[in-house]
Amino acid sequence: MCGINGFNWQDIDQIKTMNQAIKHRGPNDDGTFVGADISLGHVRLSILDLSSRGHQPMYNNVKGPSVQIVYNGEIYNFKEIKNVLIKEGFEFQTDTDTEVVLNAYIHYGVDAFSLFNGIFSFGIFDQDKGKLFLVRDRLGIKPLYYKFTDGQLIFSSETKAIKTIVPLEINDNKRWDYFLSHNVSDESLYYGIKSVTPGSYLCFNQSDSTIKEDIYCNLGELVKPKVYKTNEAKTETQLVDELDELLNDVVKDQMVSDAPIGTIGSGGLDSSLVSAIAAQYNKNLDIYHIKVDEKKCDESIYARQVAQHLKLNLVEEVLSKESYLQYLDHCLKAEELPLSHPNSVGIYQVSKKAIDTGVKVLLSGEGADELFGGYHRYRNFQKRLWVNQFPIVKKILNKLSDLTLDETFQGYRSDDLALLGEYLPEFPHFKNRSNYNKIFEEAFNFIDDDQERAMKAFISGDLGYYLPSILRRTDRMSMSVGLEMRVPFLDNRLIDFSLNLPVKFQVSKQHQKHLLKKVGERYLPKDIVYRAKKGFPLPIEQWLESKHFKKEMYARWHKLQQINVGS
């Protein structure tokens, strides 16, 4: 992982300043390219080919500086692509995936972007064509911001680097959007700052100083009616075998690293399953766990049980109200937004612990809930769909909303959210949820059963609606200490598999994440697989009973607008 910067004019001092603003993302090396009315910057976190050969910006040994790349991420199928390119006559000077991405672009052009399976954002400057391409992975796992005004383009992995060039002003509409939904469209609170859309690339044309964004991966198009229908006819055992094999392939591929690697272990199903599969390929892994210093939120007993079962070493870090206050300001500055997930501080602490003990890469269990139906709201939405079939039942429950409806039926149909978007256009995030639901309702229109179609659209919609806030937390907290956090469940192969998985294997009558739990039974104790989901809660309410904690938190809320995210 790394950090990238750039703009469409030449200024060596300014690009170095941008690099310095995000140096935490790449503590091992940095570099610049200035020429042909373009400035590119890069800070490197060395994971593959730790030698100086991986220095960036990088150019092809034949094309020379006319094609430059600044790259952040990991491509897990880079070896396969590299072998194809070698057969086409390409020679490689490094063992990095960066050089593979660069040469793939030179060979395939923009069609190369859909070949990559990984987590990435990168910029490629093609001097001969007079074009700069900004590219982001299909789910937006890696960040890429830009500001385009009057022909001037600035881009970076984080907005704090853009702030070194132009002042940033908070958009009040987005602020309310954020507090209402815990997320924000374009992933930025600032006027004029946008993110490259996941699964898209932005092209800046030097000849007329214009930009255009094109999609290379539409999530709805990953839904394949024939595959879905085939999966409906398969037995549970067949699908368990398929998922088990897929998970092994994915985890094995994502363990490729020239730097020390470990796993995160919460004691829950998702991270424990990743750890269990990873342990088959590396018996010396350490599992990193954040222990919450409050009994009702402490899951360390389960993390220890998993580590003992897998015969792996468990490294614990304690999250207390004291450490929460100690690191909160750092996390706010790293996130560049108010924390939508209070447990972000815990992600930061466990990342810091890994770095302090010599580990530079961690595998996490993020994404499993969105892919395999793990959130309670999916069950609640399912119940609401059932209730909507019977108007009299719906009417009675509405009358009893103070007892049951607000707590139990939290799902929304996309038409409800479309109304919110229509009447509250200044809050675009409501429309964002509606739009993702509509994309998937159209994609799943071949499903005859109305409830199943609505359920698939609702679950799948979280890939674009809810997941971005999780991914932002993961990236910012880990990269703030120069640690790479990989997310095996969000591998292209698993996304494709889950989108074409019938609902009964996600939210069954018995369990949520039904199919994943069946795989989990092969690797973990059943009490770990089937224990109630906690979701990394923090005892904030109890901590607020402390006068000191309450005073410190109130002080931070009061100063929130004054926090300088660029410092």
Side-chain angles (χ1 to χ4, degrees), residues 516-534:
L516 192 65
K517 287 179 178 177
K518 291 298 180 181
V519 175
E521 287 182 12
R522 298 180 173 184
Y523 296 91
L524 300 163
K526 281 194 174 183
D527 57 337
I528 293 294
V529 173
Y530 290 101
R531 77 180 185 87
K533 179 179 178 60
K534 281 196 172 184

Side-chain angles (χ1 to χ4, degrees), residues 114-129:
S114 61
L115 300 177
F116 304 140
N117 177 13
I119 53 180
F120 56 83
S121 62
F122 58 86
I124 290 181
F125 175 52
D126 191 328
Q127 185 175 338
D128 294 338
K129 294 180 179 179

